[in-house]
Amino acid sequence: MDWTLILNVISTMATVVSAIIAVRAKNESKKILKEIREERSRNLKSSGDVQIKNNGSNLGVISGINSGDILDVRK
């Protein structure tokens, strides 16, 4: 029995299996990237005026992200 031929066949099969796994991983990463891009595109954007009035004393911490303008219109 020729050991070179057997090792060559085993090596070829390992290469094919590795290539199949790599292609599946690439396709899965493309799906994940597509989901991330869709999630970003679902963020709502609107423009216009927002009136906020508050009377009283407020204590605490406000946290968040503001991507618009806040104007102090106190006169």
Side-chain angles (χ1 to χ4, degrees):
M1 197 181 275
D2 190 9
W3 289 103
T4 307
L5 179 63
I6 293 172
L7 292 176
N8 209 359
V9 169
I10 292 172
S11 176
T12 302
M13 288 173 45
T15 302
V16 169
V17 170
S18 177
I20 291 171
I21 292 171
V23 169
R24 286 183 180 173
K26 183 185 83 167
N27 291 338
E28 184 68 24
S29 66
K30 281 184 177 182
K31 287 179 187 176
I32 292 170
L33 182 60
K34 182 180 177 184
E35 288 177 14
I36 291 171
R37 287 185 177 153
E38 287 175 357
E39 183 67 29
R40 285 185 184 166
S41 69
R42 279 191 280 200
N43 291 337
L44 299 176
K45 295 181 181 179
S46 64
S47 60
D49 295 332
V50 177
Q51 297 286 332
I52 299 174
K53 293 185 180 184
N54 185 13
N55 294 324
S57 175
N58 296 303
L59 300 173
V61 176
I62 298 174
S63 65
I65 298 173
N66 176 32
S67 60
D69 297 328
I70 296 177
L71 301 176
D72 187 2
V73 293
R74 288 184 250 167
K75 293 181 182 178

mmCIF file with all atom_site columns, all heavy atoms in Angstrom, residues 43-69:
data_model
loop_
_atom_site.group_PDB
_atom_site.id
_atom_site.type_symbol
_atom_site.label_atom_id
_atom_site.label_alt_id
_atom_site.label_comp_id
_atom_site.label_asym_id
_atom_site.label_entity_id
_atom_site.label_seq_id
_atom_site.pdbx_PDB_ins_code
_atom_site.Cartn_x
_atom_site.Cartn_y
_atom_site.Cartn_z
_atom_site.occupancy
_atom_site.B_iso_or_equiv
_atom_site.pdbx_formal_charge
_atom_site.auth_seq_id
_atom_site.auth_comp_id
_atom_site.auth_asym_id
_atom_site.auth_atom_id
_atom_site.pdbx_PDB_model_num
ATOM 1   N N   . ASN A 1 43 ? -33.042 53.367 12.459 1.00 0.00 ? 43 ASN A N   1
ATOM 2   C CA  . ASN A 1 43 ? -33.072 54.503 13.372 1.00 0.00 ? 43 ASN A CA  1
ATOM 3   C C   . ASN A 1 43 ? -33.911 55.612 12.754 1.00 0.00 ? 43 ASN A C   1
ATOM 4   O O   . ASN A 1 43 ? -33.751 55.962 11.588 1.00 0.00 ? 43 ASN A O   1
ATOM 5   C CB  . ASN A 1 43 ? -31.663 55.013 13.655 1.00 0.00 ? 43 ASN A CB  1
ATOM 6   C CG  . ASN A 1 43 ? -30.860 54.032 14.469 1.00 0.00 ? 43 ASN A CG  1
ATOM 7   O OD1 . ASN A 1 43 ? -31.424 53.210 15.163 1.00 0.00 ? 43 ASN A OD1 1
ATOM 8   N ND2 . ASN A 1 43 ? -29.552 54.123 14.377 1.00 0.00 ? 43 ASN A ND2 1
ATOM 9   N N   . LEU A 1 44 ? -34.802 56.138 13.528 1.00 0.00 ? 44 LEU A N   1
ATOM 10  C CA  . LEU A 1 44 ? -35.707 57.159 13.020 1.00 0.00 ? 44 LEU A CA  1
ATOM 11  C C   . LEU A 1 44 ? -35.055 58.531 13.060 1.00 0.00 ? 44 LEU A C   1
ATOM 12  O O   . LEU A 1 44 ? -34.362 58.865 14.002 1.00 0.00 ? 44 LEU A O   1
ATOM 13  C CB  . LEU A 1 44 ? -36.989 57.172 13.848 1.00 0.00 ? 44 LEU A CB  1
ATOM 14  C CG  . LEU A 1 44 ? -37.795 55.882 13.836 1.00 0.00 ? 44 LEU A CG  1
ATOM 15  C CD1 . LEU A 1 44 ? -38.976 56.027 14.764 1.00 0.00 ? 44 LEU A CD1 1
ATOM 16  C CD2 . LEU A 1 44 ? -38.256 55.568 12.433 1.00 0.00 ? 44 LEU A CD2 1
ATOM 17  N N   . LYS A 1 45 ? -35.334 59.297 12.061 1.00 0.00 ? 45 LYS A N   1
ATOM 18  C CA  . LYS A 1 45 ? -34.854 60.672 12.008 1.00 0.00 ? 45 LYS A CA  1
ATOM 19  C C   . LYS A 1 45 ? -36.051 61.560 11.723 1.00 0.00 ? 45 LYS A C   1
ATOM 20  O O   . LYS A 1 45 ? -36.863 61.257 10.867 1.00 0.00 ? 45 LYS A O   1
ATOM 21  C CB  . LYS A 1 45 ? -33.804 60.849 10.913 1.00 0.00 ? 45 LYS A CB  1
ATOM 22  C CG  . LYS A 1 45 ? -32.535 60.074 11.162 1.00 0.00 ? 45 LYS A CG  1
ATOM 23  C CD  . LYS A 1 45 ? -31.534 60.300 10.067 1.00 0.00 ? 45 LYS A CD  1
ATOM 24  C CE  . LYS A 1 45 ? -30.285 59.488 10.317 1.00 0.00 ? 45 LYS A CE  1
ATOM 25  N NZ  . LYS A 1 45 ? -29.289 59.650 9.269  1.00 0.00 ? 45 LYS A NZ  1
ATOM 26  N N   . SER A 1 46 ? -36.139 62.617 12.447 1.00 0.00 ? 46 SER A N   1
ATOM 27  C CA  . SER A 1 46 ? -37.212 63.559 12.195 1.00 0.00 ? 46 SER A CA  1
ATOM 28  C C   . SER A 1 46 ? -36.692 64.957 12.445 1.00 0.00 ? 46 SER A C   1
ATOM 29  O O   . SER A 1 46 ? -35.702 65.164 13.140 1.00 0.00 ? 46 SER A O   1
ATOM 30  C CB  . SER A 1 46 ? -38.421 63.276 13.098 1.00 0.00 ? 46 SER A CB  1
ATOM 31  O OG  . SER A 1 46 ? -38.062 63.462 14.446 1.00 0.00 ? 46 SER A OG  1
ATOM 32  N N   . SER A 1 47 ? -37.357 65.890 11.865 1.00 0.00 ? 47 SER A N   1
ATOM 33  C CA  . SER A 1 47 ? -36.977 67.282 12.069 1.00 0.00 ? 47 SER A CA  1
ATOM 34  C C   . SER A 1 47 ? -38.224 68.063 12.445 1.00 0.00 ? 47 SER A C   1
ATOM 35  O O   . SER A 1 47 ? -39.345 67.660 12.164 1.00 0.00 ? 47 SER A O   1
ATOM 36  C CB  . SER A 1 47 ? -36.348 67.854 10.795 1.00 0.00 ? 47 SER A CB  1
ATOM 37  O OG  . SER A 1 47 ? -37.288 67.786 9.740  1.00 0.00 ? 47 SER A OG  1
ATOM 38  N N   . GLY A 1 48 ? -38.005 69.164 13.085 1.00 0.00 ? 48 GLY A N   1
ATOM 39  C CA  . GLY A 1 48 ? -39.130 69.991 13.508 1.00 0.00 ? 48 GLY A CA  1
ATOM 40  C C   . GLY A 1 48 ? -38.831 70.605 14.862 1.00 0.00 ? 48 GLY A C   1
ATOM 41  O O   . GLY A 1 48 ? -37.744 70.496 15.402 1.00 0.00 ? 48 GLY A O   1
ATOM 42  N N   . ASP A 1 49 ? -39.828 71.280 15.417 1.00 0.00 ? 49 ASP A N   1
ATOM 43  C CA  . ASP A 1 49 ? -39.674 71.956 16.692 1.00 0.00 ? 49 ASP A CA  1
ATOM 44  C C   . ASP A 1 49 ? -40.251 71.097 17.807 1.00 0.00 ? 49 ASP A C   1
ATOM 45  O O   . ASP A 1 49 ? -41.289 70.460 17.655 1.00 0.00 ? 49 ASP A O   1
ATOM 46  C CB  . ASP A 1 49 ? -40.399 73.302 16.669 1.00 0.00 ? 49 ASP A CB  1
ATOM 47  C CG  . ASP A 1 49 ? -39.768 74.255 15.662 1.00 0.00 ? 49 ASP A CG  1
ATOM 48  O OD1 . ASP A 1 49 ? -38.562 74.110 15.404 1.00 0.00 ? 49 ASP A OD1 1
ATOM 49  O OD2 . ASP A 1 49 ? -40.486 75.121 15.150 1.00 0.00 ? 49 ASP A OD2 1
ATOM 50  N N   . VAL A 1 50 ? -39.558 71.106 18.913 1.00 0.00 ? 50 VAL A N   1
ATOM 51  C CA  . VAL A 1 50 ? -40.027 70.406 20.098 1.00 0.00 ? 50 VAL A CA  1
ATOM 52  C C   . VAL A 1 50 ? -40.102 71.423 21.217 1.00 0.00 ? 50 VAL A C   1
ATOM 53  O O   . VAL A 1 50 ? -39.127 72.100 21.508 1.00 0.00 ? 50 VAL A O   1
ATOM 54  C CB  . VAL A 1 50 ? -39.064 69.261 20.491 1.00 0.00 ? 50 VAL A CB  1
ATOM 55  C CG1 . VAL A 1 50 ? -39.527 68.601 21.773 1.00 0.00 ? 50 VAL A CG1 1
ATOM 56  C CG2 . VAL A 1 50 ? -38.958 68.257 19.372 1.00 0.00 ? 50 VAL A CG2 1
ATOM 57  N N   . GLN A 1 51 ? -41.254 71.537 21.823 1.00 0.00 ? 51 GLN A N   1
ATOM 58  C CA  . GLN A 1 51 ? -41.448 72.453 22.946 1.00 0.00 ? 51 GLN A CA  1
ATOM 59  C C   . GLN A 1 51 ? -41.512 71.636 24.224 1.00 0.00 ? 51 GLN A C   1
ATOM 60  O O   . GLN A 1 51 ? -42.350 70.748 24.350 1.00 0.00 ? 51 GLN A O   1
ATOM 61  C CB  . GLN A 1 51 ? -42.752 73.242 22.769 1.00 0.00 ? 51 GLN A CB  1
ATOM 62  C CG  . GLN A 1 51 ? -42.771 74.149 21.552 1.00 0.00 ? 51 GLN A CG  1
ATOM 63  C CD  . GLN A 1 51 ? -41.903 75.378 21.764 1.00 0.00 ? 51 GLN A CD  1
ATOM 64  O OE1 . GLN A 1 51 ? -41.726 75.818 22.877 1.00 0.00 ? 51 GLN A OE1 1
ATOM 65  N NE2 . GLN A 1 51 ? -41.367 75.893 20.683 1.00 0.00 ? 51 GLN A NE2 1
ATOM 66  N N   . ILE A 1 52 ? -40.633 71.941 25.139 1.00 0.00 ? 52 ILE A N   1
ATOM 67  C CA  . ILE A 1 52 ? -40.636 71.265 26.429 1.00 0.00 ? 52 ILE A CA  1
ATOM 68  C C   . ILE A 1 52 ? -40.715 72.330 27.504 1.00 0.00 ? 52 ILE A C   1
ATOM 69  O O   . ILE A 1 52 ? -39.907 73.253 27.535 1.00 0.00 ? 52 ILE A O   1
ATOM 70  C CB  . ILE A 1 52 ? -39.364 70.410 26.627 1.00 0.00 ? 52 ILE A CB  1
ATOM 71  C CG1 . ILE A 1 52 ? -39.287 69.340 25.551 1.00 0.00 ? 52 ILE A CG1 1
ATOM 72  C CG2 . ILE A 1 52 ? -39.337 69.799 28.013 1.00 0.00 ? 52 ILE A CG2 1
ATOM 73  C CD1 . ILE A 1 52 ? -38.024 68.546 25.574 1.00 0.00 ? 52 ILE A CD1 1
ATOM 74  N N   . LYS A 1 53 ? -41.692 72.191 28.376 1.00 0.00 ? 53 LYS A N   1
ATOM 75  C CA  . LYS A 1 53 ? -41.842 73.138 29.476 1.00 0.00 ? 53 LYS A CA  1
ATOM 76  C C   . LYS A 1 53 ? -41.819 72.361 30.769 1.00 0.00 ? 53 LYS A C   1
ATOM 77  O O   . LYS A 1 53 ? -42.359 71.265 30.871 1.00 0.00 ? 53 LYS A O   1
ATOM 78  C CB  . LYS A 1 53 ? -43.150 73.906 29.344 1.00 0.00 ? 53 LYS A CB  1
ATOM 79  C CG  . LYS A 1 53 ? -43.163 74.821 28.143 1.00 0.00 ? 53 LYS A CG  1
ATOM 80  C CD  . LYS A 1 53 ? -44.411 75.650 28.095 1.00 0.00 ? 53 LYS A CD  1
ATOM 81  C CE  . LYS A 1 53 ? -44.339 76.526 26.856 1.00 0.00 ? 53 LYS A CE  1
ATOM 82  N NZ  . LYS A 1 53 ? -45.449 77.432 26.747 1.00 0.00 ? 53 LYS A NZ  1
ATOM 83  N N   . ASN A 1 54 ? -41.197 72.964 31.762 1.00 0.00 ? 54 ASN A N   1
ATOM 84  C CA  . ASN A 1 54 ? -41.081 72.292 33.041 1.00 0.00 ? 54 ASN A CA  1
ATOM 85  C C   . ASN A 1 54 ? -41.151 73.332 34.142 1.00 0.00 ? 54 ASN A C   1
ATOM 86  O O   . ASN A 1 54 ? -40.428 74.314 34.120 1.00 0.00 ? 54 ASN A O   1
ATOM 87  C CB  . ASN A 1 54 ? -39.763 71.531 33.106 1.00 0.00 ? 54 ASN A CB  1
ATOM 88  C CG  . ASN A 1 54 ? -39.646 70.723 34.373 1.00 0.00 ? 54 ASN A CG  1
ATOM 89  O OD1 . ASN A 1 54 ? -40.619 70.538 35.084 1.00 0.00 ? 54 ASN A OD1 1
ATOM 90  N ND2 . ASN A 1 54 ? -38.450 70.251 34.652 1.00 0.00 ? 54 ASN A ND2 1
ATOM 91  N N   . ASN A 1 55 ? -42.007 73.103 35.080 1.00 0.00 ? 55 ASN A N   1
ATOM 92  C CA  . ASN A 1 55 ? -42.099 73.964 36.247 1.00 0.00 ? 55 ASN A CA  1
ATOM 93  C C   . ASN A 1 55 ? -41.802 73.127 37.470 1.00 0.00 ? 55 ASN A C   1
ATOM 94  O O   . ASN A 1 55 ? -42.301 72.021 37.613 1.00 0.00 ? 55 ASN A O   1
ATOM 95  C CB  . ASN A 1 55 ? -43.509 74.560 36.382 1.00 0.00 ? 55 ASN A CB  1
ATOM 96  C CG  . ASN A 1 55 ? -43.822 75.504 35.241 1.00 0.00 ? 55 ASN A CG  1
ATOM 97  O OD1 . ASN A 1 55 ? -42.949 76.214 34.769 1.00 0.00 ? 55 ASN A OD1 1
ATOM 98  N ND2 . ASN A 1 55 ? -45.059 75.491 34.784 1.00 0.00 ? 55 ASN A ND2 1
ATOM 99  N N   . GLY A 1 56 ? -40.962 73.630 38.331 1.00 0.00 ? 56 GLY A N   1
ATOM 100 C CA  . GLY A 1 56 ? -40.682 72.901 39.553 1.00 0.00 ? 56 GLY A CA  1
ATOM 101 C C   . GLY A 1 56 ? -39.201 72.653 39.724 1.00 0.00 ? 56 GLY A C   1
ATOM 102 O O   . GLY A 1 56 ? -38.364 73.128 38.962 1.00 0.00 ? 56 GLY A O   1
ATOM 103 N N   . SER A 1 57 ? -38.905 71.903 40.742 1.00 0.00 ? 57 SER A N   1
ATOM 104 C CA  . SER A 1 57 ? -37.521 71.587 41.076 1.00 0.00 ? 57 SER A CA  1
ATOM 105 C C   . SER A 1 57 ? -37.242 70.146 40.675 1.00 0.00 ? 57 SER A C   1
ATOM 106 O O   . SER A 1 57 ? -37.994 69.240 41.013 1.00 0.00 ? 57 SER A O   1
ATOM 107 C CB  . SER A 1 57 ? -37.319 71.767 42.581 1.00 0.00 ? 57 SER A CB  1
ATOM 108 O OG  . SER A 1 57 ? -36.025 71.365 42.935 1.00 0.00 ? 57 SER A OG  1
ATOM 109 N N   . ASN A 1 58 ? -36.175 69.960 39.964 1.00 0.00 ? 58 ASN A N   1
ATOM 110 C CA  . ASN A 1 58 ? -35.806 68.632 39.501 1.00 0.00 ? 58 ASN A CA  1
ATOM 111 C C   . ASN A 1 58 ? -34.421 68.276 40.018 1.00 0.00 ? 58 ASN A C   1
ATOM 112 O O   . ASN A 1 58 ? -33.484 69.047 39.899 1.00 0.00 ? 58 ASN A O   1
ATOM 113 C CB  . ASN A 1 58 ? -35.793 68.565 37.977 1.00 0.00 ? 58 ASN A CB  1
ATOM 114 C CG  . ASN A 1 58 ? -37.169 68.787 37.398 1.00 0.00 ? 58 ASN A CG  1
ATOM 115 O OD1 . ASN A 1 58 ? -38.084 68.062 37.741 1.00 0.00 ? 58 ASN A OD1 1
ATOM 116 N ND2 . ASN A 1 58 ? -37.303 69.775 36.551 1.00 0.00 ? 58 ASN A ND2 1
ATOM 117 N N   . LEU A 1 59 ? -34.302 67.104 40.565 1.00 0.00 ? 59 LEU A N   1
ATOM 118 C CA  . LEU A 1 59 ? -33.021 66.608 41.027 1.00 0.00 ? 59 LEU A CA  1
ATOM 119 C C   . LEU A 1 59 ? -32.763 65.268 40.359 1.00 0.00 ? 59 LEU A C   1
ATOM 120 O O   . LEU A 1 59 ? -33.670 64.461 40.214 1.00 0.00 ? 59 LEU A O   1
ATOM 121 C CB  . LEU A 1 59 ? -33.022 66.424 42.548 1.00 0.00 ? 59 LEU A CB  1
ATOM 122 C CG  . LEU A 1 59 ? -33.295 67.678 43.363 1.00 0.00 ? 59 LEU A CG  1
ATOM 123 C CD1 . LEU A 1 59 ? -33.440 67.322 44.821 1.00 0.00 ? 59 LEU A CD1 1
ATOM 124 C CD2 . LEU A 1 59 ? -32.174 68.685 43.180 1.00 0.00 ? 59 LEU A CD2 1
ATOM 125 N N   . GLY A 1 60 ? -31.534 65.039 39.970 1.00 0.00 ? 60 GLY A N   1
ATOM 126 C CA  . GLY A 1 60 ? -31.211 63.747 39.371 1.00 0.00 ? 60 GLY A CA  1
ATOM 127 C C   . GLY A 1 60 ? -30.215 63.904 38.239 1.00 0.00 ? 60 GLY A C   1
ATOM 128 O O   . GLY A 1 60 ? -29.663 64.963 38.007 1.00 0.00 ? 60 GLY A O   1
ATOM 129 N N   . VAL A 1 61 ? -30.043 62.837 37.549 1.00 0.00 ? 61 VAL A N   1
ATOM 130 C CA  . VAL A 1 61 ? -29.080 62.785 36.461 1.00 0.00 ? 61 VAL A CA  1
ATOM 131 C C   . VAL A 1 61 ? -29.830 62.463 35.186 1.00 0.00 ? 61 VAL A C   1
ATOM 132 O O   . VAL A 1 61 ? -30.669 61.572 35.158 1.00 0.00 ? 61 VAL A O   1
ATOM 133 C CB  . VAL A 1 61 ? -28.005 61.710 36.723 1.00 0.00 ? 61 VAL A CB  1
ATOM 134 C CG1 . VAL A 1 61 ? -27.066 61.597 35.534 1.00 0.00 ? 61 VAL A CG1 1
ATOM 135 C CG2 . VAL A 1 61 ? -27.250 62.015 37.990 1.00 0.00 ? 61 VAL A CG2 1
ATOM 136 N N   . ILE A 1 62 ? -29.522 63.179 34.137 1.00 0.00 ? 62 ILE A N   1
ATOM 137 C CA  . ILE A 1 62 ? -30.097 62.908 32.821 1.00 0.00 ? 62 ILE A CA  1
ATOM 138 C C   . ILE A 1 62 ? -28.961 62.362 31.956 1.00 0.00 ? 62 ILE A C   1
ATOM 139 O O   . ILE A 1 62 ? -27.910 62.961 31.852 1.00 0.00 ? 62 ILE A O   1
ATOM 140 C CB  . ILE A 1 62 ? -30.685 64.176 32.186 1.00 0.00 ? 62 ILE A CB  1
ATOM 141 C CG1 . ILE A 1 62 ? -31.817 64.724 33.043 1.00 0.00 ? 62 ILE A CG1 1
ATOM 142 C CG2 . ILE A 1 62 ? -31.167 63.897 30.770 1.00 0.00 ? 62 ILE A CG2 1
ATOM 143 C CD1 . ILE A 1 62 ? -32.348 66.048 32.550 1.00 0.00 ? 62 ILE A CD1 1
ATOM 144 N N   . SER A 1 63 ? -29.213 61.233 31.343 1.00 0.00 ? 63 SER A N   1
ATOM 145 C CA  . SER A 1 63 ? -28.198 60.680 30.460 1.00 0.00 ? 63 SER A CA  1
ATOM 146 C C   . SER A 1 63 ? -28.861 60.248 29.165 1.00 0.00 ? 63 SER A C   1
ATOM 147 O O   . SER A 1 63 ? -30.040 59.942 29.132 1.00 0.00 ? 63 SER A O   1
ATOM 148 C CB  . SER A 1 63 ? -27.500 59.488 31.112 1.00 0.00 ? 63 SER A CB  1
ATOM 149 O OG  . SER A 1 63 ? -28.421 58.451 31.302 1.00 0.00 ? 63 SER A OG  1
ATOM 150 N N   . GLY A 1 64 ? -28.099 60.243 28.121 1.00 0.00 ? 64 GLY A N   1
ATOM 151 C CA  . GLY A 1 64 ? -28.621 59.839 26.819 1.00 0.00 ? 64 GLY A CA  1
ATOM 152 C C   . GLY A 1 64 ? -27.839 60.504 25.712 1.00 0.00 ? 64 GLY A C   1
ATOM 153 O O   . GLY A 1 64 ? -26.842 61.170 25.935 1.00 0.00 ? 64 GLY A O   1
ATOM 154 N N   . ILE A 1 65 ? -28.314 60.335 24.535 1.00 0.00 ? 65 ILE A N   1
ATOM 155 C CA  . ILE A 1 65 ? -27.659 60.901 23.362 1.00 0.00 ? 65 ILE A CA  1
ATOM 156 C C   . ILE A 1 65 ? -28.616 61.894 22.720 1.00 0.00 ? 65 ILE A C   1
ATOM 157 O O   . ILE A 1 65 ? -29.756 61.560 22.418 1.00 0.00 ? 65 ILE A O   1
ATOM 158 C CB  . ILE A 1 65 ? -27.288 59.800 22.346 1.00 0.00 ? 65 ILE A CB  1
ATOM 159 C CG1 . ILE A 1 65 ? -26.305 58.818 22.974 1.00 0.00 ? 65 ILE A CG1 1
ATOM 160 C CG2 . ILE A 1 65 ? -26.708 60.410 21.076 1.00 0.00 ? 65 ILE A CG2 1
ATOM 161 C CD1 . ILE A 1 65 ? -26.011 57.618 22.117 1.00 0.00 ? 65 ILE A CD1 1
ATOM 162 N N   . ASN A 1 66 ? -28.144 63.088 22.525 1.00 0.00 ? 66 ASN A N   1
ATOM 163 C CA  . ASN A 1 66 ? -28.938 64.102 21.844 1.00 0.00 ? 66 ASN A CA  1
ATOM 164 C C   . ASN A 1 66 ? -28.254 64.400 20.519 1.00 0.00 ? 66 ASN A C   1
ATOM 165 O O   . ASN A 1 66 ? -27.113 64.819 20.488 1.00 0.00 ? 66 ASN A O   1
ATOM 166 C CB  . ASN A 1 66 ? -29.037 65.372 22.692 1.00 0.00 ? 66 ASN A CB  1
ATOM 167 C CG  . ASN A 1 66 ? -29.770 66.460 21.957 1.00 0.00 ? 66 ASN A CG  1
ATOM 168 O OD1 . ASN A 1 66 ? -30.654 66.175 21.183 1.00 0.00 ? 66 ASN A OD1 1
ATOM 169 N ND2 . ASN A 1 66 ? -29.391 67.690 22.175 1.00 0.00 ? 66 ASN A ND2 1
ATOM 170 N N   . SER A 1 67 ? -28.965 64.183 19.454 1.00 0.00 ? 67 SER A N   1
ATOM 171 C CA  . SER A 1 67 ? -28.367 64.447 18.149 1.00 0.00 ? 67 SER A CA  1
ATOM 172 C C   . SER A 1 67 ? -28.982 65.683 17.495 1.00 0.00 ? 67 SER A C   1
ATOM 173 O O   . SER A 1 67 ? -28.741 65.955 16.337 1.00 0.00 ? 67 SER A O   1
ATOM 174 C CB  . SER A 1 67 ? -28.542 63.233 17.226 1.00 0.00 ? 67 SER A CB  1
ATOM 175 O OG  . SER A 1 67 ? -29.910 62.965 17.055 1.00 0.00 ? 67 SER A OG  1
ATOM 176 N N   . GLY A 1 68 ? -29.764 66.416 18.255 1.00 0.00 ? 68 GLY A N   1
ATOM 177 C CA  . GLY A 1 68 ? -30.388 67.623 17.703 1.00 0.00 ? 68 GLY A CA  1
ATOM 178 C C   . GLY A 1 68 ? -29.937 68.841 18.465 1.00 0.00 ? 68 GLY A C   1
ATOM 179 O O   . GLY A 1 68 ? -29.014 68.808 19.273 1.00 0.00 ? 68 GLY A O   1
ATOM 180 N N   . ASP A 1 69 ? -30.601 69.935 18.250 1.00 0.00 ? 69 ASP A N   1
ATOM 181 C CA  . ASP A 1 69 ? -30.283 71.185 18.920 1.00 0.00 ? 69 ASP A CA  1
ATOM 182 C C   . ASP A 1 69 ? -31.223 71.406 20.087 1.00 0.00 ? 69 ASP A C   1
ATOM 183 O O   . ASP A 1 69 ? -32.408 71.120 20.000 1.00 0.00 ? 69 ASP A O   1
ATOM 184 C CB  . ASP A 1 69 ? -30.423 72.375 17.956 1.00 0.00 ? 69 ASP A CB  1
ATOM 185 C CG  . ASP A 1 69 ? -29.439 72.260 16.805 1.00 0.00 ? 69 ASP A CG  1
ATOM 186 O OD1 . ASP A 1 69 ? -28.350 71.720 17.036 1.00 0.00 ? 69 ASP A OD1 1
ATOM 187 O OD2 . ASP A 1 69 ? -29.758 72.728 15.706 1.00 0.00 ? 69 ASP A OD2 1
#
